[in-house]
Amino acid sequence: MLKTEVINVEKIREDFPILKRQVHGKRLVYLDNAATTQKPKAVIDALVDYYSRYNSNVHRSVHTLGEEATAAYEAARGKAAKFVGARAKDLAFVRGTTEATNLVRFAWGEKNVKKGDTLVTTLMEHHSNIVPWQLLAKGKGATLKFVGLQPDGTLDMGSFESLLREAPKLVAVTHCSNVLGTINDVATICAKARKAGAITVVDGAQSVPHMPVDIGAIGCDFFGFSGHKMLGPTGIGALVGRSDLLEEMEPFHGGGEMIKEVFLDHSTWNDVPHKFEAGTVNIADAIGLGAAVDYLTAIGMDKVREHEVRLIAYALQSLREVKGFRAYGPEDPEKKGGVISFNLADVHPHDLATILDEEGIAIRSGHHCAQPLMRWLDVESTSRASFHVYNSYDDVDALKAGLLKAGAIFKI
Ligand code: 7TS
């Protein structure tokens, strides 16, 4: 059975040119969506259209091309903001989630974090939600502390509550783990953190591409996400911030377009969000992200989520039948995003990924930029299959067949 019956996978697959290619003579089974997703023709066409019809810089030229490019760039901002329940003026385009976090580190953190302060993140974070806070803490003489995990791969809320008693300046947490798939109750976390006086930063890299997200309902102060994980181009993402904080923050980068006036001894800043978009921005890819938002909106994010829940449920049930298979993270598909991290007995994940590649199956193996989590799991690395709209039960069956083949090779 190909379809999950929630969305028409066969029809959707037609929109993705890359899915027609073969790898080692086999049908491409792309299960590395948590690293980056494939792009529908609508997104590729939006890039080609911009470069072939109205390529021009934005916010400066009064000629027709300049005005068309500015209108398309700002329309993309509006689309991206609406997609996550935010206002366009509260959304700054950045390169991706990593840059969003670093923007907060510099533009908010440098001014507000002081010696002796506590910053809080969690053990399940991607390095991009750990290292910037480590650097900030080190520079300021602050301390970075970590919320622990429960054996099922969910956050230990007891450990969170006790860290809140230290009145942290900042709480940074992922909406959805890129390894365990754990979906965190970020609304509750942000409400508690705010009550304790902390600023909240939510990493939406693995949630926005896979489920309906309403930043207003989450109630965080900052929220970052990446376009390339949601069918959009690489090099574009967004930081959404609370407007009063964005207003009072320092700029991130200095240069053209982020200023109002420049004198020899000082400058004044452009309005938010342009204050955070120095230099020539990534026009084409922002427009491409707008096209990706249109594409996902037409499918419906509630359907995307339901489709992935069914795929995850099917995959967990089916892959558990493979001898030596061990998955990490929550077992309930309703509590999990579209990723399954696993190991197959003691086969090295890179060996497994190489064997699967011979079958045309793309998974990721490694530490997934989450080394503290790997240590907590007591493994060096894992294999990871991750899903999106074009994946089907057939892809799961192909993965299972690949694992059985690997099992036979390694005599498990
Ligand atoms: N946060 C999470 C939860 C992520 O999964 C990633 C990327 C990032 C932040 C950083 O996003 P970027 O677009 O700035 O790179 N995660 C992965 C991954 O799991 N495999 O490759 C990239």
Side-chain angles (χ1 to χ4, degrees):
M1 182 177 33
L2 187 64
K3 295 180 199 162
T4 55
E5 308 297 340
V6 186
I7 57 180
N8 189 341
V9 176
E10 274 154 302
K11 188 163 166 284
I12 284 172
R13 291 179 67 86
E14 291 293 311
D15 297 333
F16 290 79
I18 207 168
L19 297 179
K20 293 188 179 65
R21 75 161 281 183
Q22 298 209 322
V23 172
H24 300 303
K26 306 272 169 59
R27 174 176 84 87
L28 169 63
V29 176
Y30 188 77
L31 296 174
D32 196 14
N33 293 287
T36 200
T37 51
Q38 299 304 341
K39 320 303 172 197
K41 197 163 176 303
V43 169
I44 300 166
D45 286 350
L47 298 176
V48 172
D49 186 45
Y50 165 71
Y51 283 125
S52 11
R53 268 199 331 107
Y54 61 101
N55 173 53
S56 189
N57 215 324
V58 294
H59 299 141
R60 58 198 82 193
S61 312
V62 295
H63 56 72
T64 302
L65 267 49
E67 292 202 339
E68 286 179 9
T70 302
Y73 178 75
E74 289 304 328
R77 188 196 306 281
K79 288 176 191 183
K82 187 162 174 242
F83 190 65
V84 292
R87 297 183 311 175
K89 66 193 279 289
D90 299 335
L91 183 147
F93 279 125
V94 291
R95 281 191 297 146
T97 312
T98 303
E99 193 170 80
T101 315
N102 280 280
L103 196 162
V104 177
R105 173 213 161 178
F106 283 104
W108 179 84
E110 285 299 324
K111 193 170 163 185
N112 291 287
V113 174
K114 305 268 173 336
K115 193 170 174 7
D117 281 348
T118 300
L119 312 177
V120 169
T121 185
T122 88
L123 272 185
M124 70 167 76
E125 303 303 315
H126 186 277
H127 294 162
S128 69
N129 209 16
I130 296 176
V131 181
W133 310 127
Q134 262 174 1
L135 292 167
L136 177 62
K138 194 167 173 222
K140 295 287 178 180
T143 311
L144 179 62
K145 297 198 173 172
F146 292 83
V147 178
L149 307 182
Q150 305 196 96
D152 66 352
T154 57
L155 287 177
D156 177 352
M157 292 303 276
S159 129
F160 174 57
E161 302 270 357
S162 65
L163 286 173
L164 285 187
R165 285 195 279 280
E166 299 184 25
K169 264 278 167 68
L170 173 138
V171 171
V173 62
T174 190
H175 196 174
C176 177
S177 160
N178 65 322
V179 176
L180 305 169
T182 315
I183 299 171
N184 292 316
D185 180 0
V186 282
T188 300
I189 291 168
C190 291
K192 286 177 189 280
R194 173 172 286 198
K195 219 166 148 201
I199 289 296
T200 50
V201 184
V202 175
D203 172 342
Q206 299 292 351
S207 61
V208 174
H210 301 280
M211 59 193 79
V213 169
D214 181 348
I215 295 176
I218 292 170
C220 56
D221 297 304
F222 297 105
F223 188 102
F225 59 97
S226 301
H228 69 98
K229 294 184 198 285
M230 50 187 286
L231 315 183
T234 50
I236 192 76
L239 172 73
V240 174
R242 216 176 78 199
S243 58
D244 55 326
L245 290 175
L246 294 176
E247 290 295 340
E248 69 190 38
M249 268 155 63
E250 292 295 320
F252 180 29
H253 294 141
E257 286 304 303
M258 50 73 71
I259 51 86
K260 205 156 249 162
E261 285 187 289
V262 176
F263 304 94
L264 291 186
D265 61 345
H266 78 285
S267 304
T268 57
W269 311 136
N270 201 343
D271 295 333
V272 170
H274 309 291
K275 176 169 88 174
F276 300 109
E277 296 181 358
T280 295
V281 290
N282 188 351
I283 306 160
D285 295 321
I287 293 169
L289 175 57
V293 164
D294 286 343
Y295 187 86
L296 286 170
T297 305
I299 296 173
M301 287 311 290
D302 46 352
K303 290 197 177 148
V304 172
R305 171 70 184 142
E306 182 54 28
H307 168 71
E308 288 186 19
V309 167
R310 291 190 192 192
L311 279 181
I312 290 284
Y314 179 72
L316 281 174
Q317 183 197 23
S318 156
L319 300 178
R320 270 196 206 106
E321 292 164 10
V322 178
K323 202 169 161 210
F325 176 85
R326 182 185 171 203
Y328 304 98
E331 293 187 355
D332 180 353
E334 296 287 349
K335 297 191 174 139
K336 211 173 164 71
V339 302
I340 297 178
S341 285
F342 62 93
N343 269 312
L344 189 66
D346 56 1
V347 178
H348 196 286
H350 289 331
D351 292 338
L352 184 60
T354 307
I355 291 169
L356 292 175
D357 181 59
E358 287 295 322
E359 303 299 312
I361 303 165
I363 61 156
R364 185 175 168 188
S365 56
H367 56 62
H368 313 287
C369 303
Q371 288 180 353
L373 177 58
M374 293 295 123
R375 280 184 211 106
W376 181 84
L377 288 170
D378 201 19
V379 294
E380 276 201 1
S381 57
T382 73
S383 299
R384 182 185 68 187
S386 51
F387 301 96
H388 217 285
V389 285
Y390 34 73
N391 292 122
S392 63
Y393 291 139
D394 281 1
D395 294 343
V396 177
D397 292 345
L399 176 61
K400 183 179 181 184
L403 294 184
L404 288 170
K405 188 172 176 193
I409 292 169
F410 285 95
K411 301 190 173 31
I412 293 171

